[in-house]
Amino acid sequence: MAELEGPEFGKADFVLLDEVTMEQFLENLRRRFSQGRIYTYIGEVVVAVNPYRTLELYGPPAVERYRGRELYERPPHLFALADAAYKAMKRRAKDTCIVISGRWTVAVGGGCVWGTLGWAPLAQSLPSFARRERGGQDGGQQIHHAVHRRHHQPHPTRRGGEGEERAAEVQLRPGSLRQRQDQPQRQLQPLRQVHGHQLRLQGRPHRRPHPQLPPGEVPNPPAAAGREELPRLLPAATGSPGGSAGLPPPLPGPRRLPLHPGGCSGLREWGWGGRRVGRGWAGGSRPLTPCVSPPKCPPQACGDDADGYRAVEEAMAVIGFSPEEMGSVRRILATILHLGNVGFVAEGETAAVEDAAQLSALAELTATAPGSLRQALLTRTVAAGGGELIEKGHSPKEAAYARDACAKAIYERLFCWIVGRINASIAAHDYDVRLHGKSTVIGVLDIYGFEIFDTNSFEQFCINYCNEKLQQLFIELILRQEQAEYQREGIAWQSIEYFSNEPIVELVEQPHRGILALLDEACLAAGTVTDSLFLASMDTRLGRHPHYTSRKLCPTDKTMEFNRDFRIKHYAGDVTYSVEGFLDKNKDTLFQDFKRLFYNSADAVLRAMWPDGEQSITEVTKRPLTTGTLFKNSMVALVENLASKEPYYVRCIKPNDQKSPTLFDEERCRHQVSYLGLLENVRVRRAGFAYRQPYHRFLLRYKMTCEYTWPNHLMATDREATQALLEQHGFQDDVAYGHTKVFIRTPRTLFCLEQERAQLIPIIVLLLQKAWRGALARRRCRYLRAAYTIMAYYKRHKVKAYLRELLRRFQAVRTLPDFGKSVVWPEPPAVLARFQDASQRLFCRWRARQIVKNIPPSEMGQIRAKVAAMEALEGLRKDWGCQRSWARDYLSSPRENPGQALPFARRLQTLKDKVHFGSVLFSCHVRKINRFSKSRDRAILVTDQHLYKLDPRKQYRVMRALPLSTVTGLSVTSCQAQLVVFHTQSQDDLAVCLHKMQPAEDNRVGELVGVLLEHCRATKRELQVRVSDCIQLSLRGRRRLLTVETRPGAVTPDFGKSRDGFVLYWPGR
C-alpha cells in the first residue's frame, strides 16, 4: 500500500480492486488520471498514463525520496521500479531488465514512454541509485552505464511514419571506469541524435528512437540496426501499397527530408550542401530536398541547426573521433543524400545513369573510381559454375532497387560503426572479476506496442508478431516469478490458468509451415511469384488454423478484399493485413558488387565498414537472409536474453488522441488495456495471494492495530508477532505464512487493516505531536536558560571592559589643552548605549565649564550672545559671524565710521540724556526700503530700550523710534545677504540691509540676532527668529514679500520693486 494517497486517488495497485473487471479497472485508471496520478501498480508492474502536461514528478529530490524504499512505501513511480531492479541486481548478483511497452499514438505511429515517462526518468534514477550506494568512493564496485539499442527492422523499404519495432537495453555494468570517461558520457546525447533522431515536419507524426551505445563487451546491433532510420528519408513509390493508411497524404511540392537536427545545416558547413539533392527514391518523381527550415515548423522540432551541428562535432571530438574520421562521416552522410539524385533511363534492355555528373560527385565522396561505381549501379556480377563470372545488366527498376538497398546499407553500417567506435572510447578497462565482483546488468527494453492501422502491411505484421512473442514471455515470466517466490517462502504452488498465445506465435514463426517460412519460400521460388500467389499459398496451407482467415476462406466477410487481405486473430484483437508488398519488403537486394566496391575505397572508415567485401565473388555462395528471417532471429535472441533476466515491467497507455490533459477516452483505453493484457496480469497476480510483505515491514505498518505489537512486541520473531496481530483481527483463515513474508489472499483483509490503521493514525500523531512538542519546549527552555546565563556573563564582561577602557582614555583629560575634545569615545555595548549618551552630555558640560572658567567676565556677554545666535541660526544660515569678535557699537568706531563717529557720539549722548537707556546693543549703517518702494541710506541704533532709525546725512537725526518691547521677531535669509526684517506689533515692519561695513564682506546678521536674543532672554521676553529666502513683511498693514537676488555687476546692495513686493539685489560673483 502506497503512503500519502487517500481513497480519492483510487487504488494504487490494481491487485487491490474489489472485482477484477474491465469496468472497475478503467474506473480506477480514470480516477487516478484525473487526480494527476499517472502511475499505478499491478504488483511489481507499473502502468503509466500519458498526462499530456508537465508534472513535478522528477528531479534529484524525487530520486532521493524513492532511493532504498520498497515499492509499496511510496506512491507508484518509475523511480521505485528502478530502485527495485537495482537492489535485485545488487542483492542477488543477477541480471535484471525493465521492459517498457505500450504506446501513446494508436493508428498514426508514435512511440511509448521513451522520452517522458520511460527511459528519461529511468536514466535519471538508475545512475543516482548506483552513485549513492558507492558513496563516492573509488574502491569497490562502480557502475558503468551505457545503452545498447536493437532496432528490429521489418524491411528496409518501410516508409517514414509507419510503425516499427525497437528495443533497447540499458547496461548498468560494474567495472573500473577511469575519470576521463565522465566527460564522454555527458557528451553522448548530441552524438546519439545524429543517426537516431529525425524531425517529422509539416504536421506528420514521428518517432525518435535513441540509438544508444553498448559497452565493449556488448555485441553490436543486429543487421537491421540503424537501417530502419534511412527509409524515413525515402518517399514511397507512386502507388506503392506499403504506405501506412494512418499517415496523412504526401505533401505537394518538393519533399523535405526529416533529417537529424543539424544535418543539412551541417552538410552546408561540410561543403556538400551546395549540390542539389533532388530526385526521389524508389522511383519517386518529385525532388527530394533537405529539410532546413520549413514553414510552420515547431521551434522545439527544428531548433538551431548550426548550434546542433557544432554540438555534434564537439561531442565527437570529446568521445575521441579523429578529424579524419569526422570528415569520413560527413562524406558518407553526403553520399547517402547524393544517391537520391541518381536517376536511371532505359538504353535498350539495360539501364543507364541519367546524369553522369552525379556519378563524379559520388565517386569523389566515396573515394572510388567512377567507372567501378557506374558498373556497381548498373550491373550485377554472378558466379557461374567452374569459376566463370557473368555480368548481368539491370533494368531501370532493378537499378533503382539496387541504389536504394545500397543507400540503406551504407546508413546501417555507418550507424554500427559509430556504435562500435563510441563503445571503444567508453569501455571499462582493467576490469577484474575478483576485485569488482560479478558483472551484472540492468537492461531497459523500450518497445513499441501493438499496431492496428486502417491498412496494415508487412511492418505491422512484424511488430504485432513481436508483441505476441513478448506478451507470451511476459505472462510466463510473471508466473515464473510467482512460482519462484512461493517456493522460496515454502508455500504450496497452485496451477493458474491463463490465455496462451503460443498458437499465434507458431502460426507466424513455425519452421516450414509458418507465415514467415511461406514468405521466404515464395521469395526464393523460381519464376514470377506475386503477392496474390503468396496469399493463395497461405490460404491452402493455413486455412484450417483457428487464428487465420482470409476473404477466400470467409467469402461473406466484406471487410476483406479478395486476393489482398488476410486476418490474424491476435491476443489483442483481430488485425487485417494487406499482402501487397510483402514479397518486395522481404527481399534483400544488396548485391555483392557494392560490398567489393566500398571495400576497395581509399576512405579508411568506409573500407572498415565493409569487411565482407574482401571475399571474391566466387567465394560468396550463400544467399543472404531475408528481412523476415533476420527479424525472427533477432526476436528469438531477444526473448532468450530477456528470459535469462529478472524482469520488471512498465505498461504505457495513451488516454486520448487529442493530447488533452483532462480527456479520458474510455474506448481507447479499453482497447489498450485489452491488447496489453493488463487484466490477465491482475488475475495472475491475484490467483494465489493478492498481497505479500516481509514480516518486519508488515509490523512496521500495522503494529498499532494490536495491543501485543504496539509500540514494540516482546515475541521471539516477527512472524509470531504478525500471527498474533492477524489472529486478534480474525484473519487467520485468509493468510499464509512464508519464511520471510506474510501472504494475504483477498484485498478485503488488507482494507480492514488499512481502515483500522487510518483511524488510529490521527490519535498516534496527536500523541507523538504532544510528546515531541513537550520535548521541544523543554529543550528550548534549557537552551534559553543556558543562553541567558552566557549572555549575562558576557554582558558583564563587555561592561567591565568598556568601563576600564573609558577610564583609561579619560583619566588624564584635565591635563590636555582641549580638555579631552580630541579623545575618541570607545564603542559601547548595546546595554550601555544610553549610558554613553548621558556621559557624553555630562562630559560636554564639564568641558564647557572648564573653558568658561578661563574666560574674562568682560567677554561673557559676547559668549552668551554667540550661543544664542548659534541656537537660532545653526544649520539654517551658512555664515553668521561667530568666528570674529563682536564690537556691537560700530558707528562709534572711527575705523568703521570715519568722520561721522563724533556726530554719532553726540547724538548718542543726547538720546541717553533724554531717555536714560542703559547700554547700546548694536549700531550700523543700513539700506532701508519704505512702503513707497523707495530705498535710502540710514543707520540703526539698538539700545536696551528702543530701536532707532537714524539719518547719517543729518547728524544722525532720529527718523523713527520703536520701543524694543514692540519688536516681536526677526527674519533673516540663509544666504550671505545682510538682510534683516524687524517685525513689530503695529504691523509696520522695518526692512533693512546692513552695509558700509569694514571689512565689506563682514557678516553682522548673526551678531544682531544674538545680541537681541540675549537681551530678550535677560528681560524674559520671547523673540521669534525665522530664516527664509522669501520673507513676508507688513508695511502699515499691507503684506509684501521680500526676496534676495544676486546681481554680479552691483557694487552695493539695493532694494527694488517686484510683482509681489520688494527684492534685494545683493552684490555677488
Side-chain angles (χ1 to χ4, degrees), residues 272 275 331-332 334-342 353 355-370 373 377 403 410 598 606:
W272 302 104
R275 302 179 185 274
R331 289 190 293 273
I332 293 170
T335 298
I336 297 170
L337 293 178
H338 280 274
L339 271 172
N341 288 346
V342 178
V353 177
D355 185 0
Q358 294 294 334
L359 280 181
S360 302
L362 283 171
E364 179 185 356
L365 291 170
T366 58
T368 57
L373 179 60
L377 286 171
R403 176 203 62 196
I410 293 174
F598 294 132
L606 186 61

mmCIF file of all heavy atoms in Angstrom, residues 272 275 331-332 334-342 353 355-370 373 377 403 410 598 606:
data_model
loop_
_atom_site.group_PDB
_atom_site.id
_atom_site.type_symbol
_atom_site.label_atom_id
_atom_site.label_comp_id
_atom_site.label_asym_id
_atom_site.label_seq_id
_atom_site.Cartn_x
_atom_site.Cartn_y
_atom_site.Cartn_z
ATOM 1 N N TRP A 272 29.081 20.261 -48.757
ATOM 2 C CA TRP A 272 28.323 19.475 -49.727
ATOM 3 C C TRP A 272 26.894 19.975 -49.845
ATOM 4 O O TRP A 272 26.092 19.438 -50.580
ATOM 5 C CB TRP A 272 28.310 18.002 -49.314
ATOM 6 C CG TRP A 272 29.684 17.456 -49.197
ATOM 7 C CD1 TRP A 272 30.377 17.203 -48.073
ATOM 8 C CD2 TRP A 272 30.571 17.141 -50.278
ATOM 9 N NE1 TRP A 272 31.623 16.743 -48.353
ATOM 10 C CE2 TRP A 272 31.786 16.677 -49.702
ATOM 11 C CE3 TRP A 272 30.476 17.196 -51.665
ATOM 12 C CZ2 TRP A 272 32.862 16.270 -50.460
ATOM 13 C CZ3 TRP A 272 31.551 16.789 -52.419
ATOM 14 C CH2 TRP A 272 32.725 16.337 -51.821
ATOM 15 N N ARG A 275 25.401 21.215 -53.414
ATOM 16 C CA ARG A 275 24.981 20.338 -54.505
ATOM 17 C C ARG A 275 23.476 20.090 -54.398
ATOM 18 O O ARG A 275 22.925 20.013 -53.312
ATOM 19 C CB ARG A 275 25.729 19.004 -54.421
ATOM 20 C CG ARG A 275 27.248 19.165 -54.478
ATOM 21 C CD ARG A 275 27.905 17.811 -54.373
ATOM 22 N NE ARG A 275 29.348 17.912 -54.301
ATOM 23 C CZ ARG A 275 30.147 17.982 -55.338
ATOM 24 N NH1 ARG A 275 29.642 18.006 -56.553
ATOM 25 N NH2 ARG A 275 31.450 18.065 -55.186
ATOM 26 N N ARG A 331 31.337 12.809 -45.253
ATOM 27 C CA ARG A 331 31.281 12.395 -46.660
ATOM 28 C C ARG A 331 30.297 11.244 -46.863
ATOM 29 O O ARG A 331 29.588 11.179 -47.864
ATOM 30 C CB ARG A 331 32.675 12.008 -47.138
ATOM 31 C CG ARG A 331 33.616 13.197 -47.303
ATOM 32 C CD ARG A 331 34.902 12.793 -48.003
ATOM 33 N NE ARG A 331 35.708 11.887 -47.196
ATOM 34 C CZ ARG A 331 36.600 12.284 -46.287
ATOM 35 N NH1 ARG A 331 36.786 13.571 -46.081
ATOM 36 N NH2 ARG A 331 37.290 11.401 -45.599
ATOM 37 N N ILE A 332 30.244 10.329 -45.892
ATOM 38 C CA ILE A 332 29.324 9.188 -46.035
ATOM 39 C C ILE A 332 27.884 9.658 -45.960
ATOM 40 O O ILE A 332 27.017 9.194 -46.706
ATOM 41 C CB ILE A 332 29.640 8.132 -44.947
ATOM 42 C CG1 ILE A 332 31.019 7.520 -45.215
ATOM 43 C CG2 ILE A 332 28.577 7.050 -44.907
ATOM 44 C CD1 ILE A 332 31.529 6.659 -44.083
ATOM 45 N N ALA A 334 26.827 12.622 -46.803
ATOM 46 C CA ALA A 334 26.577 13.302 -48.074
ATOM 47 C C ALA A 334 26.362 12.296 -49.196
ATOM 48 O O ALA A 334 25.557 12.520 -50.106
ATOM 49 C CB ALA A 334 27.744 14.234 -48.396
ATOM 50 N N THR A 335 27.070 11.158 -49.125
ATOM 51 C CA THR A 335 26.890 10.110 -50.132
ATOM 52 C C THR A 335 25.456 9.611 -50.136
ATOM 53 O O THR A 335 24.834 9.421 -51.199
ATOM 54 C CB THR A 335 27.852 8.947 -49.853
ATOM 55 O OG1 THR A 335 29.196 9.415 -49.958
ATOM 56 C CG2 THR A 335 27.629 7.814 -50.833
ATOM 57 N N ILE A 336 24.909 9.388 -48.940
ATOM 58 C CA ILE A 336 23.531 8.888 -48.844
ATOM 59 C C ILE A 336 22.564 9.875 -49.494
ATOM 60 O O ILE A 336 21.644 9.491 -50.226
ATOM 61 C CB ILE A 336 23.167 8.640 -47.372
ATOM 62 C CG1 ILE A 336 24.082 7.551 -46.785
ATOM 63 C CG2 ILE A 336 21.721 8.227 -47.224
ATOM 64 C CD1 ILE A 336 23.961 7.398 -45.285
ATOM 65 N N LEU A 337 22.778 11.155 -49.249
ATOM 66 C CA LEU A 337 21.887 12.165 -49.832
ATOM 67 C C LEU A 337 22.047 12.238 -51.356
ATOM 68 O O LEU A 337 21.064 12.308 -52.091
ATOM 69 C CB LEU A 337 22.163 13.521 -49.204
ATOM 70 C CG LEU A 337 21.821 13.663 -47.717
ATOM 71 C CD1 LEU A 337 22.197 15.052 -47.231
ATOM 72 C CD2 LEU A 337 20.339 13.428 -47.487
ATOM 73 N N HIS A 338 23.282 12.187 -51.830
ATOM 74 C CA HIS A 338 23.509 12.321 -53.272
ATOM 75 C C HIS A 338 23.077 11.087 -54.037
ATOM 76 O O HIS A 338 22.801 11.173 -55.238
ATOM 77 C CB HIS A 338 24.980 12.626 -53.541
ATOM 78 C CG HIS A 338 25.330 14.067 -53.319
ATOM 79 N ND1 HIS A 338 25.173 15.030 -54.287
ATOM 80 C CD2 HIS A 338 25.795 14.712 -52.218
ATOM 81 C CE1 HIS A 338 25.554 16.204 -53.797
ATOM 82 N NE2 HIS A 338 25.929 16.045 -52.544
ATOM 83 N N LEU A 339 23.017 9.944 -53.364
ATOM 84 C CA LEU A 339 22.498 8.767 -54.071
ATOM 85 C C LEU A 339 21.048 8.991 -54.500
ATOM 86 O O LEU A 339 20.586 8.411 -55.487
ATOM 87 C CB LEU A 339 22.574 7.532 -53.152
ATOM 88 C CG LEU A 339 23.881 6.740 -53.198
ATOM 89 C CD1 LEU A 339 23.902 5.678 -52.130
ATOM 90 C CD2 LEU A 339 24.085 6.125 -54.574
ATOM 91 N N GLY A 340 20.322 9.826 -53.774
ATOM 92 C CA GLY A 340 18.948 10.120 -54.163
ATOM 93 C C GLY A 340 18.838 10.898 -55.449
ATOM 94 O O GLY A 340 17.756 10.961 -56.048
ATOM 95 N N ASN A 341 19.923 11.518 -55.891
ATOM 96 C CA ASN A 341 19.898 12.279 -57.146
ATOM 97 C C ASN A 341 20.192 11.416 -58.369
ATOM 98 O O ASN A 341 20.081 11.886 -59.494
ATOM 99 C CB ASN A 341 20.916 13.405 -57.099
ATOM 100 C CG ASN A 341 20.493 14.516 -56.159
ATOM 101 O OD1 ASN A 341 19.348 14.561 -55.757
ATOM 102 N ND2 ASN A 341 21.417 15.380 -55.811
ATOM 103 N N VAL A 342 20.620 10.199 -58.118
ATOM 104 C CA VAL A 342 20.998 9.337 -59.246
ATOM 105 C C VAL A 342 19.721 8.774 -59.862
ATOM 106 O O VAL A 342 18.946 8.077 -59.179
ATOM 107 C CB VAL A 342 21.925 8.201 -58.786
ATOM 108 C CG1 VAL A 342 22.258 7.285 -59.957
ATOM 109 C CG2 VAL A 342 23.199 8.788 -58.189
ATOM 110 N N VAL A 353 22.840 5.656 -66.439
ATOM 111 C CA VAL A 353 22.724 6.756 -65.492
ATOM 112 C C VAL A 353 22.252 8.003 -66.225
ATOM 113 O O VAL A 353 22.772 8.346 -67.294
ATOM 114 C CB VAL A 353 24.069 7.014 -64.800
ATOM 115 C CG1 VAL A 353 23.961 8.219 -63.869
ATOM 116 C CG2 VAL A 353 24.499 5.789 -64.014
ATOM 117 N N ASP A 355 22.349 11.230 -65.245
ATOM 118 C CA ASP A 355 23.233 12.398 -65.156
ATOM 119 C C ASP A 355 24.612 11.913 -64.721
ATOM 120 O O ASP A 355 24.810 11.504 -63.576
ATOM 121 C CB ASP A 355 22.678 13.407 -64.150
ATOM 122 C CG ASP A 355 23.502 14.685 -64.115
ATOM 123 O OD1 ASP A 355 24.484 14.769 -64.870
ATOM 124 O OD2 ASP A 355 23.158 15.579 -63.323
ATOM 125 N N ALA A 356 25.580 11.958 -65.639
ATOM 126 C CA ALA A 356 26.921 11.460 -65.325
ATOM 127 C C ALA A 356 27.620 12.303 -64.277
ATOM 128 O O ALA A 356 28.512 11.812 -63.571
ATOM 129 C CB ALA A 356 27.764 11.418 -66.612
ATOM 130 N N ALA A 357 27.214 13.577 -64.120
ATOM 131 C CA ALA A 357 27.859 14.436 -63.118
ATOM 132 C C ALA A 357 27.592 13.924 -61.707
ATOM 133 O O ALA A 357 28.421 14.116 -60.806
ATOM 134 C CB ALA A 357 27.350 15.875 -63.267
ATOM 135 N N GLN A 358 26.447 13.301 -61.523
ATOM 136 C CA GLN A 358 26.158 12.742 -60.203
ATOM 137 C C GLN A 358 27.133 11.630 -59.846
ATOM 138 O O GLN A 358 27.547 11.481 -58.691
ATOM 139 C CB GLN A 358 24.721 12.209 -60.155
ATOM 140 C CG GLN A 358 23.649 13.268 -60.274
ATOM 141 C CD GLN A 358 23.664 14.191 -59.079
ATOM 142 O OE1 GLN A 358 24.102 13.810 -58.001
ATOM 143 N NE2 GLN A 358 23.217 15.424 -59.289
ATOM 144 N N LEU A 359 27.528 10.836 -60.826
ATOM 145 C CA LEU A 359 28.493 9.763 -60.575
ATOM 146 C C LEU A 359 29.832 10.334 -60.126
ATOM 147 O O LEU A 359 30.491 9.788 -59.244
ATOM 148 C CB LEU A 359 28.673 8.910 -61.833
ATOM 149 C CG LEU A 359 27.599 7.851 -62.102
ATOM 150 C CD1 LEU A 359 27.940 7.076 -63.363
ATOM 151 C CD2 LEU A 359 27.489 6.910 -60.922
ATOM 152 N N SER A 360 30.255 11.431 -60.730
ATOM 153 C CA SER A 360 31.531 12.037 -60.342
ATOM 154 C C SER A 360 31.492 12.514 -58.897
ATOM 155 O O SER A 360 32.446 12.329 -58.130
ATOM 156 C CB SER A 360 31.857 13.202 -61.273
ATOM 157 O OG SER A 360 31.911 12.775 -62.611
ATOM 158 N N ALA A 361 30.377 13.129 -58.514
ATOM 159 C CA ALA A 361 30.258 13.599 -57.128
ATOM 160 C C ALA A 361 30.285 12.424 -56.157
ATOM 161 O O ALA A 361 30.949 12.466 -55.118
ATOM 162 C CB ALA A 361 28.967 14.407 -56.960
ATOM 163 N N LEU A 362 29.561 11.348 -56.484
ATOM 164 C CA LEU A 362 29.531 10.180 -55.612
ATOM 165 C C LEU A 362 30.898 9.509 -55.545
ATOM 166 O O LEU A 362 31.327 9.051 -54.478
ATOM 167 C CB LEU A 362 28.483 9.183 -56.095
ATOM 168 C CG LEU A 362 27.030 9.529 -55.767
ATOM 169 C CD1 LEU A 362 26.080 8.593 -56.472
ATOM 170 C CD2 LEU A 362 26.818 9.468 -54.263
ATOM 171 N N ALA A 363 31.582 9.426 -56.655
ATOM 172 C CA ALA A 363 32.911 8.817 -56.661
ATOM 173 C C ALA A 363 33.877 9.626 -55.805
ATOM 174 O O ALA A 363 34.717 9.063 -55.084
ATOM 175 C CB ALA A 363 33.429 8.714 -58.100
ATOM 176 N N GLU A 364 33.757 10.944 -55.853
ATOM 177 C CA GLU A 364 34.609 11.797 -55.020
ATOM 178 C C GLU A 364 34.298 11.586 -53.540
ATOM 179 O O GLU A 364 35.202 11.516 -52.703
ATOM 180 C CB GLU A 364 34.394 13.253 -55.411
ATOM 181 C CG GLU A 364 35.217 14.236 -54.587
ATOM 182 C CD GLU A 364 34.901 15.679 -54.925
ATOM 183 O OE1 GLU A 364 34.102 15.901 -55.859
ATOM 184 O OE2 GLU A 364 35.432 16.575 -54.247
ATOM 185 N N LEU A 365 33.012 11.470 -53.194
ATOM 186 C CA LEU A 365 32.624 11.292 -51.794
ATOM 187 C C LEU A 365 33.048 9.938 -51.252
ATOM 188 O O LEU A 365 33.456 9.820 -50.098
ATOM 189 C CB LEU A 365 31.105 11.467 -51.648
ATOM 190 C CG LEU A 365 30.559 12.879 -51.853
ATOM 191 C CD1 LEU A 365 29.037 12.853 -51.926
ATOM 192 C CD2 LEU A 365 31.009 13.795 -50.731
ATOM 193 N N THR A 366 32.924 8.901 -52.049
ATOM 194 C CA THR A 366 33.236 7.535 -51.586
ATOM 195 C C THR A 366 34.675 7.135 -51.848
ATOM 196 O O THR A 366 35.070 6.030 -51.438
ATOM 197 C CB THR A 366 32.292 6.535 -52.266
ATOM 198 O OG1 THR A 366 32.436 6.648 -53.696
ATOM 199 C CG2 THR A 366 30.848 6.811 -51.868
ATOM 200 N N ALA A 367 35.470 8.003 -52.489
ATOM 201 C CA ALA A 367 36.878 7.702 -52.803
ATOM 202 C C ALA A 367 36.988 6.413 -53.605
ATOM 203 O O ALA A 367 37.800 5.535 -53.317
ATOM 204 C CB ALA A 367 37.701 7.621 -51.515
ATOM 205 N N THR A 368 36.120 6.275 -54.612
ATOM 206 C CA THR A 368 36.157 5.117 -55.510
ATOM 207 C C THR A 368 36.288 5.609 -56.940
ATOM 208 O O THR A 368 36.106 6.800 -57.240
ATOM 209 C CB THR A 368 34.873 4.277 -55.363
ATOM 210 O OG1 THR A 368 33.738 5.119 -55.636
ATOM 211 C CG2 THR A 368 34.748 3.708 -53.956
ATOM 212 N N ALA A 369 36.577 4.675 -57.824
ATOM 213 C CA ALA A 369 36.714 5.018 -59.235
ATOM 214 C C ALA A 369 35.335 5.212 -59.839
ATOM 215 O O ALA A 369 34.426 4.406 -59.590
ATOM 216 C CB ALA A 369 37.471 3.915 -59.985
ATOM 217 N N PRO A 370 35.121 6.264 -60.651
ATOM 218 C CA PRO A 370 33.799 6.475 -61.263
ATOM 219 C C PRO A 370 33.338 5.301 -62.096
ATOM 220 O O PRO A 370 32.153 4.950 -62.089
ATOM 221 C CB PRO A 370 34.002 7.737 -62.097
ATOM 222 C CG PRO A 370 35.156 8.447 -61.456
ATOM 223 C CD PRO A 370 36.052 7.370 -60.943
ATOM 224 N N LEU A 373 32.061 2.548 -59.783
ATOM 225 C CA LEU A 373 30.780 2.932 -59.195
ATOM 226 C C LEU A 373 29.661 2.773 -60.210
ATOM 227 O O LEU A 373 28.568 2.285 -59.889
ATOM 228 C CB LEU A 373 30.865 4.382 -58.708
ATOM 229 C CG LEU A 373 29.594 4.963 -58.077
ATOM 230 C CD1 LEU A 373 29.172 4.160 -56.861
ATOM 231 C CD2 LEU A 373 29.807 6.423 -57.686
ATOM 232 N N LEU A 377 26.377 0.174 -59.972
ATOM 233 C CA LEU A 377 24.997 0.647 -60.003
ATOM 234 C C LEU A 377 24.193 0.045 -61.138
ATOM 235 O O LEU A 377 22.973 -0.146 -61.007
ATOM 236 C CB LEU A 377 24.974 2.177 -60.125
ATOM 237 C CG LEU A 377 25.342 2.982 -58.878
ATOM 238 C CD1 LEU A 377 25.492 4.455 -59.225
ATOM 239 C CD2 LEU A 377 24.277 2.815 -57.806
ATOM 240 N N ARG A 403 20.101 0.747 -56.026
ATOM 241 C CA ARG A 403 20.534 2.027 -55.461
ATOM 242 C C ARG A 403 19.971 2.234 -54.054
ATOM 243 O O ARG A 403 20.677 2.630 -53.125
ATOM 244 C CB ARG A 403 20.090 3.156 -56.383
ATOM 245 C CG ARG A 403 20.382 4.562 -55.864
ATOM 246 C CD ARG A 403 19.461 5.562 -56.514
ATOM 247 N NE ARG A 403 18.077 5.270 -56.179
ATOM 248 C CZ ARG A 403 17.030 5.768 -56.841
ATOM 249 N NH1 ARG A 403 17.222 6.573 -57.869
ATOM 250 N NH2 ARG A 403 15.793 5.463 -56.469
ATOM 251 N N ILE A 410 24.556 1.519 -46.469
ATOM 252 C CA ILE A 410 25.573 2.476 -46.025
ATOM 253 C C ILE A 410 25.154 3.102 -44.700
ATOM 254 O O ILE A 410 25.952 3.219 -43.757
ATOM 255 C CB ILE A 410 25.786 3.568 -47.096
ATOM 256 C CG1 ILE A 410 26.418 2.963 -48.359
ATOM 257 C CG2 ILE A 410 26.676 4.680 -46.564
ATOM 258 C CD1 ILE A 410 26.511 3.948 -49.507
ATOM 259 N N PHE A 598 33.033 -0.764 -52.041
ATOM 260 C CA PHE A 598 33.362 0.071 -50.890
ATOM 261 C C PHE A 598 34.538 -0.503 -50.105
ATOM 262 O O PHE A 598 35.243 0.248 -49.426
ATOM 263 C CB PHE A 598 32.139 0.219 -49.984
ATOM 264 C CG PHE A 598 31.009 0.973 -50.631
ATOM 265 C CD1 PHE A 598 29.705 0.491 -50.595
ATOM 266 C CD2 PHE A 598 31.239 2.158 -51.301
ATOM 267 C CE1 PHE A 598 28.673 1.180 -51.189
ATOM 268 C CE2 PHE A 598 30.212 2.853 -51.900
ATOM 269 C CZ PHE A 598 28.923 2.357 -51.851
ATOM 270 N N LEU A 606 35.178 4.138 -44.516
ATOM 271 C CA LEU A 606 34.233 3.435 -45.381
ATOM 272 C C LEU A 606 34.704 2.012 -45.659
ATOM 273 O O LEU A 606 33.901 1.063 -45.674
ATOM 274 C CB LEU A 606 34.075 4.211 -46.690
ATOM 275 C CG LEU A 606 33.008 3.701 -47.666
ATOM 276 C CD1 LEU A 606 31.638 3.752 -47.016
ATOM 277 C CD2 LEU A 606 33.009 4.519 -48.952
#
